[in-house]
Amino acid sequence: QKEVEQDPGPLSVPEGAIVSLNCTYSNSAFQYFMWYRQYSRKGPELLMYTYSSGNKEDGRFTAQVDKSSKYISLFIRDSQPSDSATYLCAMNSNSGYALNFGKGTSLLVTP
Amino acid sequence: GAVVSQHPSRVICKSGTSVKIECRSLDFQATTMFWYRQFPKQSLMLMATSNEGSKATYEQGVEKDKFLINHASLTLSTLTVTSAHPEDSSFYICSARTRGGLVVADTQYFGPGTRLTVL
């Protein structure tokens, strides 16, 4: 079993929809959680960074962490075609360690 | 925000040659840099962890004599693919860990990646 599981999709939604992206993990030591967005042939771009459990909001993006369930989510409100990309969840147990990535979910927002 | 650059962005080389990829943190000092490899439609796979002034730590299955990593300063790490072969063709991405202060502390920012094609 991989330490981080993420449905690769693809996920297709109409413009304006609320998008929900999720990851589960097995290592209870993970406490730093990140979401990255990656456009084709580009490096990942940090979207959200969360420490431990709870919610964090930044504009149209909301990250949730439920450590008791080992489950993290990223919500995108009022999705736009420019949000079409692959979204990678990542996490580690120590901020100095390398990140453990999910496979990434491919999102397509159609006009 | 924190900016990480990579050079070159794309390289095509013949089998047997060596290729050097540079990773620079432009506006912060990075004590640690990571090198990842990404195959099409796959996630990022960690190759090695590079700490400034010390030897890199390689992940299991990654040949350290083939993928030479040098972290000469707090802003520069290099990955050299020696005697490259077609199976080394991939997207190589570095990330740099911030020391805090400028942006979100202790998180990683990624370079734009280098696409290596070995003929």
Side-chain angles (χ1 to χ4, degrees), chain A residues 2 32 34 36 38 41-46 49 56 88 92 94-99 101-104, chain B residues 10 32 34 36 38 41-44 46 49 91 93 97 104-113 115:
Chain A
K2 280 178 63 71
Y32 299 89
M34 284 137 272
Y36 288 86
Q38 186 177 25
R41 298 174 179 266
K42 301 290 185 183
E45 170 195 7
L46 179 66
Y49 171 90
K56 186 173 184 179
L88 297 149
N92 57 15
N94 182 301
S95 62
Y97 294 168
L99 293 169
F101 281 91
K103 276 192 172 182
Chain B
R10 178 183 294 184
T32 305
F34 302 91
Y36 296 83
Q38 187 178 34
K41 300 190 183 297
Q42 299 291 317
S43 190
L44 284 75
L46 178 68
T49 301
F91 193 50
I93 309 174
R97 176 192 169 205
V104 178
D106 284 339
T107 192
Q108 294 177 36
Y109 289 84
F110 284 82
R115 185 160 301 282

Side-chain angles (χ1 to χ4, degrees), chain A residues 13-27:
Chain A
V13 301
E15 183 175 357
I18 297 175
V19 176
S20 173
L21 304 167
N22 312 292
C23 288
T24 59
Y25 62 95
S26 57
N27 189 340

Side-chain angles (χ1 to χ4, degrees), chain B residues 64-78:
Chain B
K64 61 181 180 181
D65 294 330
K66 181 170 184 62
F67 299 99
L68 302 179
I69 292 172
N70 183 279
H71 195 154
S73 74
L74 286 172
T75 60
L76 173 64
S77 176
T78 60

Side-chain angles (χ1 to χ4, degrees), chain A residues 3 14 16 38 44 47 67 70 76 78-79 83 88 91 99 107 111:
Chain A
E3 283 196 299
Q38 186 177 25
L47 281 178
K67 290 189 71 179
K70 298 190 181 68
I76 307 174
D78 187 25
S79 55
D83 295 328
L88 297 149
M91 54 198 76
L99 293 169
L107 171 67

Side-chain angles (χ1 to χ4, degrees), chain A residues 13-84:
Chain A
V13 301
E15 183 175 357
I18 297 175
V19 176
S20 173
L21 304 167
N22 312 292
C23 288
T24 59
Y25 62 95
S26 57
N27 189 340
S28 58
F30 289 152
Q31 52 181 346
Y32 299 89
F33 304 93
M34 284 137 272
W35 285 95
Y36 288 86
R37 177 174 61 195
Q38 186 177 25
Y39 293 110
S40 180
R41 298 174 179 266
K42 301 290 185 183
E45 170 195 7
L46 179 66
L47 281 178
M48 300 289 283
Y49 171 90
T50 309
Y51 170 68
S52 195
S53 285
N55 295 357
K56 186 173 184 179
E57 187 173 322
D58 184 1
R60 296 186 295 112
F61 298 93
T62 300
Q64 288 185 351
V65 175
D66 182 348
K67 290 189 71 179
S68 63
S69 301
K70 298 190 181 68
Y71 187 89
I72 70 170
S73 301
L74 177 71
F75 297 95
I76 307 174
R77 291 183 298 280
D78 187 25
S79 55
Q80 303 294 310
S82 58
D83 295 328
S84 299

